[in-house]
Amino acid sequence: MMKSPGSIPIKQAALAFIVGVLVLVSLIGGFALHEMRNVSHNLMQSNQKAARAELADAIERLSGQIKNQAATLGRWDETRQQLVIPEYYNYWRDQRVYESGMLSRFARVALYDQSGNKLRAGGTSNALPARLPFHVAPHLHTSWLSNEAGVITLYYAFPVYSDERRLALLGHGLIRLNYMAELLNQNSFRYTDTASIKLNLKPGALLSAPELLPNLSLSARSDPEQLRFQAILSRALLALLILLAATALLGFMAHHRLLVRPLRQLSQDIDAMKQGRFEPNPEHAEPMRISELENIHRSLLDYQLQLRELHGSLEHQNREFRSQARHDVLTGCYNRRAYEEDWSRFREEIKAVPQGVAFLLFDCDRFKSINDTYGHAKGDRVLTLIADALVTALRANDRLYRLGGDEFAAILLRTTPAQARQIAQRCQSLLDAKRFSELDINEPISVSIGIAFCAADQVEHIDELPKQADIAMYTAKLPGRNRVALYGDDVERASQTLVASRETSAVFQALATPGMIEMHYQSIRSLPGLEVKYYEALARIRYHDTLILPAAFLPVVSSRRLETGFDLAVLQQVDLDLSSKQLPAGVGICINLTAQSVSQPEIVSYLLELSRHNTRHPLMIEIAETSLITQVTEASTYLDLLRTSQYRIAMDDFGTGHSPLRYLVDLPVDVIKFDLSLISRLEANDRAAQVVTDFARMMISAGYSLTAEGVETETALRKVESLGFAHVQGFLLDHPRPLAELVASLNAVSEPS
């Protein structure tokens, strides 16, 4: 199966899609987990802040409580009494203070005299220092913390005065407190993990009370609800990932069964159709689960069945069409296309298996006169009767070809010169027996036959048979001949005048050598302004540095029946000139065609291809000697086709030869070109000038555009302008010039002086 670059199977596309979905879901889950951790971290930080704030509040309350207790003790009369008469000091210190509720059980107190010495008394020691520390100010409350064997202890010193006015200092009191025990005893912490509270204080070191909180380290309690939420969310994410993985797997399996397998089957069926191996069998075809795919599959099967039926019908029609395309519509015999195909095949067969072969060329004598005299309908009937007679005279397997107009040919394989001459004479006899009087034709109708033979030991010369048969046929037309001629020494001598001239050699060489035909261009100007509207392309043959004009080579073209080949060569040269884009845009080109070429498909086909230049150069076809057109209906059809491709049709050399008015009715003509012979008569003031004048006015009133050819004097120019001629052409205005010379003159005119 052919794949375009970069294409992947649908199975891989589906797998990639599912993997992409899983990756996307995993990213979303990871993002959710990351956000959950961020939330947990933020909650922990919030709890940590709450715990520190909670501890700071507890410390502040405890500090205020101790301060109040110290102030109360300092104003208590019993405290003053002990400093004056310490008779009951031990009782006061160990019982009275606690009984009064002033201190908690975690606190101890001692009194100091004015000298800072602790009052001495009996009883147990409460581990307070014997002297007040030196940093205790006499009249200020002073507090500090110390780390005593791992126990955080608070000392609070306060002054004791003899009066309420605090004028006479009696001494100091010092409270010692197990700070952490008291702190935890008095507070119920919600956020603070009490076991984590630690004071960063070395043993024996002191710390002022305001510095307590910054040196405390603590941790917040874990939130059970938060832990439960994290556990639930983690389980949910894990379950979601497992569910998505299972769903993706099931989806992939369903996708493979419902889409991939049917599409693969469709793809294989289409590939089999391309290779011609597909055998549709709707009854045994496995149905597809997807209705749309099933519809496509059924439609594909139905289409293949219909295609087979259509193919069979088309083959039959093609065979019929090929048969029709190889046959002449008028006579029913084979046409030029069949002749070219068969002749090419016969040459290869004969070269491979040498055998004697004869080429017979038939030409109806005086057919042009018959066609002009009795009309085209009877002329067509004459050709039909001639073809019937020739087909009857040929052998069973021989074919008759109509090459064009009134010219026919036959190729005889495995024959001898005597047999070929015998068949030619039988053709003459059958044709003489035809009764053309039934068509009201009284003139005798005959056919000239040229025969060329190639023996089995001379097959290398087989390509010369058509040319030799052509020479023999023209020899058969010479006076004294019996209308049948076999190419040989006598025929070659009799036809020397036909083949030895310089013009004949030039024509054949020009047709075989591109570039020998040279186009010269003469302007056609509008009236009255004499603006160049067209250039007429006129053929010349460049032969051995000599320019041969149409008057010399056109008779050779006509006698050799080379009109179609010569016109095709002219069209090719005009095509090259137009493709060079040297001519100024907007100026039209007139192309001369012989009458015989108008009805030739290859000429019309090339003209249609040439019409691509119409956007830059309007194109016109000039037909000379219209009376030589043997198939007016076909010619008219082809000319109508060319007009649809923006061609204009002109009747050339009107007034010379045989140009009856009825051709203006039968053919789609836009322009009539009056010949020099008619234009020259306008300069005289006689009856002939009046006839030409009236005729020109009649043509103009009928809607034709007139062009005057051969205008060589100012008198003729003024005359055609006064008569209403649309265009003028002649030596008075300019001569035909080669393309290079014409372009050089145009460039010289356009350059500023």
Side-chain angles (χ1 to χ4, degrees):
M1 181 175 63
M2 296 296 293
K3 295 181 180 179
S4 60
S7 63
I8 60 173
I10 188 174
K11 182 177 181 180
Q12 294 184 11
L15 184 60
F17 175 76
I18 292 175
V19 170
V21 171
L22 290 177
V23 170
L24 180 62
V25 172
S26 300
L27 291 175
I28 295 175
F31 177 75
L33 183 61
H34 175 72
E35 290 298 313
M36 183 186 72
R37 289 181 177 177
N38 286 340
V39 171
S40 300
H41 179 70
N42 293 336
L43 289 175
M44 290 181 63
Q45 288 184 336
S46 177
N47 290 342
Q48 187 74 13
K49 291 179 180 179
R52 183 166 290 276
E54 182 181 52
L55 183 60
D57 185 61
I59 291 174
E60 185 177 357
R61 287 197 305 272
L62 181 57
S63 298
Q65 179 182 345
I66 294 173
K67 184 177 181 180
N68 292 334
Q69 290 175 352
T72 303
L73 283 174
R75 292 191 302 270
W76 195 16
D77 290 339
E78 292 185 13
T79 302
R80 297 172 184 167
Q81 183 180 357
Q82 301 307 317
L83 286 173
V84 177
I85 304 175
E87 183 177 354
Y88 301 103
Y89 171 67
N90 290 340
Y91 171 73
W92 174 86
R93 182 193 64 191
D94 296 332
Q95 295 186 24
R96 184 65 182 141
V97 171
Y98 299 105
E99 289 175 357
S100 65
M102 292 185 183
L103 292 179
S104 69
R105 57 187 178 86
F106 297 103
R108 294 291 182 268
V109 65
L111 296 178
Y112 294 84
D113 57 20
Q114 293 180 356
S115 300
N117 296 318
K118 183 172 69 172
L119 299 183
R120 298 186 181 276
T124 61
S125 172
N126 54 10
L128 269 75
R131 285 188 56 82
L132 281 176
F134 66 90
H135 58 269
V136 176
H139 298 280
L140 299 177
H141 289 248
T142 305
S143 62
W144 68 91
L145 291 142
S146 67
N147 186 347
E148 298 178 354
V151 178
I152 299 175
T153 304
L154 174 68
Y155 289 91
Y156 194 93
F158 55 92
V160 179
Y161 296 94
S162 62
D163 56 347
E164 292 298 331
R165 298 177 62 185
R166 304 176 62 173
L167 297 176
L169 180 65
L170 293 178
H172 291 82
L174 181 63
I175 299 174
R176 179 181 181 275
L177 178 67
N178 187 338
Y179 192 80
M180 293 305 301
E182 183 66 24
L183 185 67
L184 297 178
N185 181 60
Q186 291 190 11
N187 296 276
S188 177
F189 294 98
R190 177 181 177 184
Y191 298 102
T192 307
D193 183 4
T194 56
S196 67
I197 299 175
K198 294 181 180 179
L199 179 64
N200 298 323
L201 186 63
K202 295 180 180 180
L206 301 180
L207 184 69
S208 63
E211 297 176 339
L212 171 62
L213 186 60
N215 286 278
L216 281 177
S217 61
L218 70 155
S219 298
R221 289 183 177 179
S222 299
D223 189 351
E225 297 298 329
Q226 178 183 347
L227 296 176
R228 190 178 300 111
F229 169 73
Q230 291 177 347
I232 293 174
L233 184 58
S234 298
R235 289 195 298 271
L237 288 175
L238 180 61
L240 178 61
L241 290 176
I242 294 174
L243 178 62
L244 287 174
T247 303
L249 180 60
L250 293 176
F252 178 76
M253 295 173 61
H255 177 271
H256 183 268
R257 180 174 180 81
L258 298 178
L259 284 178
V260 175
R261 286 173 55 185
L263 287 175
R264 182 183 298 163
Q265 183 62 43
L266 286 175
S267 178
Q268 293 174 354
D269 290 346
I270 292 174
D271 289 340
M273 288 181 185
K274 293 179 180 178
Q275 302 171 7
R277 298 183 290 100
F278 184 66
E279 295 293 336
N281 191 353
E283 296 181 357
H284 296 86
E286 181 182 355
M288 299 184 178
R289 303 290 182 181
I290 306 298
S291 60
E292 289 80 4
L293 293 180
E294 176 64 16
N295 290 336
I296 295 175
H297 191 217
R298 290 293 175 183
S299 299
L300 194 62
L301 294 177
D302 294 342
Y303 171 74
Q304 183 64 14
L305 292 174
Q306 295 176 7
L307 193 61
R308 288 196 169 188
E309 296 176 359
L310 181 62
H311 183 68
S313 175
L314 192 60
E315 285 185 351
H316 177 70
Q317 293 179 6
N318 284 340
R319 287 193 295 268
E320 292 185 354
F321 178 76
R322 179 174 175 82
S323 176
Q324 294 175 2
R326 291 168 53 86
H327 285 78
D328 180 59
V329 177
L330 178 63
T331 63
C333 61
Y334 290 91
N335 58 14
R336 176 177 285 274
R337 178 178 179 180
Y339 158 74
E340 292 174 350
E341 293 177 357
D342 291 348
W343 177 237
S344 177
R345 178 167 51 86
F346 288 157
R347 285 186 301 169
E348 298 301 324
E349 292 178 359
I350 293 169
K351 290 178 181 179
V353 182
Q355 55 186 287
V357 58
F359 192 100
L360 275 63
L361 190 63
F362 307 88
D363 187 80
C364 181
D365 301 324
R366 300 178 302 280
F367 179 74
K368 185 182 71 171
S369 300
I370 295 172
N371 209 35
D372 290 342
T373 304
Y374 297 98
H376 296 292
K378 290 188 178 182
D380 291 346
R381 181 59 180 159
V382 168
L383 291 176
T384 302
L385 293 175
I386 291 174
D388 292 341
L390 298 180
V391 170
T392 304
L394 295 176
R395 298 176 303 184
N397 294 327
D398 296 333
R399 292 180 173 182
L400 179 68
Y401 305 93
R402 184 186 179 195
L403 301 183
D406 59 336
E407 190 175 66
F408 298 85
I411 303 170
L412 308 182
L413 303 179
R414 296 180 179 86
T415 188
T416 63
Q419 292 174 343
R421 184 182 290 275
Q422 183 181 3
I423 292 174
Q425 292 173 348
R426 185 163 63 241
C427 291
Q428 296 282 13
S429 299
L430 290 176
L431 189 59
D432 291 341
K434 288 289 183 179
R435 300 176 61 184
F436 292 97
S437 58
E438 296 178 355
L439 301 177
D440 296 327
I441 298 176
N442 299 320
E443 291 84 351
I445 296 177
S446 60
V447 173
S448 296
I449 305 174
I451 305 172
F453 179 77
C454 180
D457 57 350
Q458 296 179 339
V459 293
E460 65 273 10
H461 301 299
I462 190 173
D463 293 338
E464 300 177 5
L465 286 183
K467 179 180 178 181
Q468 294 173 353
D470 186 57
I471 295 173
M473 186 268 295
Y474 276 99
T475 304
K477 289 180 176 290
L478 295 176
R481 294 285 172 170
N482 60 357
R483 295 179 293 154
V484 176
L486 176 65
Y487 183 84
D489 292 339
D490 58 336
V491 170
E492 192 169 10
R493 284 192 300 270
S495 60
Q496 283 181 355
T497 57
L498 296 174
V499 298
S501 68
R502 183 194 66 166
E503 288 75 12
T504 302
S505 300
V507 168
F508 278 104
Q509 188 172 345
L511 293 179
T513 307
M516 282 187 62
I517 296 178
E518 182 179 301
M519 305 310 299
H520 287 214
Y521 294 89
Q522 184 180 26
S523 66
I524 301 175
R525 302 172 183 255
S526 62
L527 290 174
L530 296 181
E531 180 183 357
V532 177
K533 290 296 185 182
Y534 288 88
Y535 284 106
E536 182 176 2
L538 302 168
R540 309 286 189 262
I541 296 179
R542 182 70 65 177
Y543 184 67
H544 297 317
D545 296 328
T546 302
L547 198 63
I548 302 177
L549 299 179
F553 65 73
L554 284 182
V556 177
V557 173
S558 177
S559 64
R560 294 297 185 180
R561 300 296 178 89
L562 300 173
E563 294 91 342
T564 300
F566 188 82
D567 284 349
L568 190 59
V570 168
L571 291 177
Q572 291 170 349
Q573 187 58 46
V574 171
D575 191 3
L576 289 175
D577 289 349
L578 294 180
S579 298
S580 68
K581 296 184 179 180
Q582 297 184 66
L583 290 169
V587 178
I589 299 297
C590 295
I591 306 171
N592 287 285
L593 292 180
T594 57
Q596 293 84 344
S597 297
V598 174
S599 57
Q600 298 303 317
E602 56 266 39
I603 295 294
V604 176
S605 177
Y606 201 98
L607 285 171
L608 292 176
E609 181 180 351
L610 196 65
S611 66
R612 69 183 186 277
H613 296 293
N614 254 319
T615 56
R616 181 178 173 88
H617 301 286
L619 299 178
M620 181 187 297
I621 300 171
E622 297 186 5
I623 305 172
E625 286 295 334
T626 51
S627 62
L628 298 180
I629 299 177
T630 58
Q631 300 178 46
V632 176
T633 303
E634 286 188 15
S636 179
T637 301
Y638 284 138
L639 291 177
D640 281 331
L641 175 61
L642 293 173
R643 291 177 79 186
T644 62
S645 296
Q646 307 303 317
Y647 278 96
R648 298 190 73 194
I649 310 300
M651 181 180 288
D652 196 15
D653 299 329
F654 191 82
T656 63
H658 301 277
S659 299
L661 291 177
R662 65 185 179 89
Y663 282 98
L664 293 177
V665 178
D666 294 335
L667 298 176
V669 175
D670 303 301
V671 179
I672 299 175
K673 299 189 72 174
F674 275 46
D675 186 69
L676 170 63
S677 60
L678 294 182
I679 299 301
S680 62
R681 294 183 182 274
L682 289 175
E683 298 188 52
N685 190 14
D686 55 10
R687 181 180 296 178
Q690 186 61 41
V691 171
V692 175
T693 298
D694 293 341
F695 192 75
R697 289 171 177 168
M698 181 182 68
M699 292 293 99
I700 294 174
S701 64
Y704 294 102
S705 176
L706 301 187
T707 298
E709 290 186 302
V711 175
E712 299 180 357
T713 64
E714 291 288 346
T715 303
L717 177 61
R718 290 193 298 270
K719 188 63 177 178
V720 296
E721 182 177 351
S722 65
L723 288 177
F725 277 70
H727 296 89
V728 63
Q729 178 181 5
F731 288 168
L732 176 64
L733 304 175
D734 60 1
H735 289 70
R737 288 177 288 179
L739 178 61
E741 182 180 334
L742 174 62
V743 172
S745 65
L746 292 176
N747 292 337
V749 172
S750 62
E751 290 179 358
S753 58

